[in-house]
Amino acid sequence: MSIHSAIYLVLWIITNILNYKKKQVNSQCLIFPYKTCNSHTKKYIMLFSHKHILLKHKISETLIPLIQGDYYLADCPFHSNIGDILIWQGELELLKECNGQLIGYSSLTTFDHPKISPETVILFHGGGNLGELYRQHIEHLFLLMRLYPKNRIIIFPQTFNYTSPEILKSDIQKLSSHTDLHICSRDKRGFDQLSRDLEHVYLVPDMAFYIPQSFFEYQPSKNNGSLFLKRLDDELADNSLAPHCDHVHDWPTFEHKIFDGIFIAKIINKLSSWNIPFFKNIWKWYAMNIYRTDLIRIGVKFIKRYDYIYSTRLHGIILSLLCQKRVTAIDNSYGKNLNFIKTWLDDVDELYLLS
């Protein structure tokens, strides 16, 4: 064999070995379009645009088969928390794909004990308000269970926060009293807590992921550097890290400015709280048809103004990803952000968890 033939043979062998290894790596990544396959850590990193598709599919394949017929949406967030409004919008987007019609809706304060046929599905708004911290919402759920014992009740994805075994045991006992209650937990910790003792418990991502991309197309004239989205309520961790950023804000709707884009909503809400005739229905209509979309617009414009986001709010993290921003997540006081990210987002390239 000539030297040229020998060199050609060696090159042919090397090329085929490399192609074989490349095919192996590609076959490992075939099901999910991962950006990086690390053979040492066995951890795959995925672009959020690809992960988003999987999250939406998980939501639809779990919930759409459960929602058959007409439905009533309870515990809607008629308030100024942009994160809860994003969840609400995702719920409404999913319902567009379901059979049946929305026959009514209410918030915690506008619920008026409507007559609902046993065939109507009652949907309970998702979020992070079931458990020990915000008892008024789970008490509202228990009221619905008592009023409508024959209706299917579906709790949209929630974070369930329990540190007291006694409260957990008591709540599970009450939840188990309804024979057609379906509970969606948005993290594995809550799923494990509830599924040990309850039937019909599902692990489902946050409903904000179901909002179409068309909601996030706003482009600012200029960017303002980095943002630390710092919550200022009881969920802020005592040892919360404080990154050095160009700007520090909570949601703009929480900054108590007179002209913050929701001035009219505040007036109508106040009149509704005074039980002035007709204003409760006016407030319900305004919240559903105007206020909801106004708050989403405010939230998107707020996040889009910055190049990089640090967030102690879960929906600051989610909205940043939906707006195609890189984001660093900081946990809240009881592990909500940490547990959610470990369940759904720990393989997302654009997200870093600061702990």
Side-chain angles (χ1 to χ4, degrees):
M1 180 184 293
S2 67
I3 187 169
H4 293 291
S5 298
I7 292 172
Y8 177 81
L9 179 61
V10 170
L11 291 174
W12 181 85
I13 292 171
I14 292 171
T15 300
N16 278 275
I17 291 172
L18 291 174
N19 284 336
Y20 175 72
K21 288 187 173 294
K22 184 178 180 181
K23 287 179 181 178
Q24 279 190 316
V25 171
N26 286 339
S27 67
Q28 292 172 345
C29 298
L30 184 61
I31 298 176
F32 304 120
Y34 287 102
K35 182 180 179 182
T36 304
C37 294
N38 190 321
S39 60
H40 299 292
T41 63
K42 304 298 182 183
K43 184 174 181 179
Y44 300 95
I45 304 300
M46 178 185 287
L47 293 172
F48 175 72
S49 58
H50 299 149
K51 187 56 174 275
H52 191 194
I53 296 170
L54 301 180
L55 295 171
K56 289 186 70 174
H57 178 70
K58 179 64 176 176
I59 292 169
S60 62
E61 73 171 0
T62 305
L63 287 173
I64 290 178
L66 295 175
I67 306 171
Q68 299 297 324
D70 293 341
Y71 40 83
Y72 180 97
L73 183 55
D75 204 42
C76 296
F78 294 0
H79 51 69
S80 57
N81 187 329
I82 290 172
D84 285 330
I85 303 298
L86 292 168
I87 296 170
W88 186 15
Q89 184 64 44
E91 293 163 355
L92 295 175
E93 296 294 337
L94 176 80
L95 294 176
K96 293 177 183 178
E97 302 178 18
C98 297
N99 297 322
Q101 299 292 324
L102 178 66
I103 66 160
Y105 60 92
S106 60
S107 66
L108 178 68
T109 58
T110 61
F111 179 71
D112 55 2
H113 302 73
K115 291 183 178 181
I116 299 176
S117 71
E119 293 76 27
T120 299
V121 179
I122 297 173
L123 306 170
F124 193 84
H125 172 68
N129 51 23
L130 295 186
E132 295 177 22
L133 194 55
Y134 305 104
R135 292 300 294 178
Q136 66 271 29
H137 292 280
I138 199 163
E139 293 298 335
H140 186 47
L141 173 63
F142 294 151
L143 172 64
L144 293 170
M145 292 167 55
R146 292 192 299 271
L147 290 174
Y148 309 107
K150 296 181 180 180
N151 295 70
R152 170 167 290 185
I153 299 178
I154 300 172
I155 303 174
F156 276 124
Q158 278 271 357
T159 296
F160 294 87
N161 171 42
Y162 288 99
T163 56
S164 166
E166 292 77 18
I167 297 176
L168 174 60
K169 183 178 179 181
S170 174
D171 283 357
I172 285 179
Q173 186 175 11
K174 293 175 184 176
L175 293 168
S176 64
S177 67
H178 196 286
T179 57
D180 201 6
L181 177 67
H182 298 256
I183 303 172
C184 299
S185 171
R186 62 182 182 181
D187 64 51
K188 194 172 184 304
R189 180 180 66 174
F191 175 81
D192 291 341
Q193 280 184 318
L194 298 176
S195 60
R196 285 193 293 264
D197 300 295
L198 295 170
E199 297 183 41
H200 311 310
V201 180
Y202 311 87
L203 187 60
V204 186
D206 188 89
M207 292 304 297
F209 290 121
Y210 222 79
I211 303 175
Q213 196 58 40
S214 58
F215 278 77
F216 312 109
E217 292 178 349
Y218 167 80
Q219 293 299 330
S221 57
K222 66 174 184 177
N223 286 342
N224 296 324
S226 57
L227 167 69
F228 179 26
L229 179 48
K230 181 182 180 181
R231 68 184 312 144
L232 300 174
D233 58 12
D234 292 340
E235 289 191 42
L236 181 69
D238 292 336
N239 59 345
S240 181
L241 301 170
H244 177 71
C245 293
D246 299 310
H247 302 271
V248 180
H249 296 286
D250 202 346
W251 289 127
T253 49
F254 288 167
E255 296 197 332
H256 306 295
K257 296 178 181 178
I258 296 177
F259 299 106
D260 54 4
I262 57 172
F263 181 69
I264 295 174
K266 290 177 181 178
I267 294 174
I268 299 174
N269 186 19
K270 179 61 71 174
L271 293 171
S272 173
S273 69
W274 291 343
N275 293 318
I276 296 177
F278 306 112
F279 267 98
K280 182 173 286 189
N281 287 333
I282 291 172
W283 174 228
K284 284 178 66 175
W285 180 89
Y286 191 90
M288 171 65 85
N289 295 285
I290 298 176
Y291 186 57
R292 170 175 51 85
T293 53
D294 281 352
L295 261 70
I296 294 173
R297 174 182 51 80
I298 291 169
V300 170
K301 286 187 174 182
F302 173 62
I303 291 296
K304 283 272 195 172
R305 286 202 300 263
Y306 301 99
D307 297 308
Y308 194 94
I309 316 295
Y310 292 80
S311 180
T312 61
R313 286 192 175 274
L314 177 58
H315 284 87
I317 299 162
I318 292 174
L319 183 55
S320 296
L321 293 171
L322 291 169
C323 289
Q324 301 176 6
K325 300 287 184 179
R326 301 190 72 86
V327 57
T328 291
I330 301 170
D331 203 11
N332 77 327
S333 60
Y334 61 87
K336 177 172 70 176
N337 300 347
L338 174 65
N339 284 288
F340 184 86
I341 289 168
K342 283 186 174 181
T343 304
W344 302 110
L345 300 175
D346 69 339
D347 56 354
V348 169
D349 179 63
E350 297 93 332
L351 173 63
Y352 177 74
L353 178 60
L354 190 63
S355 58

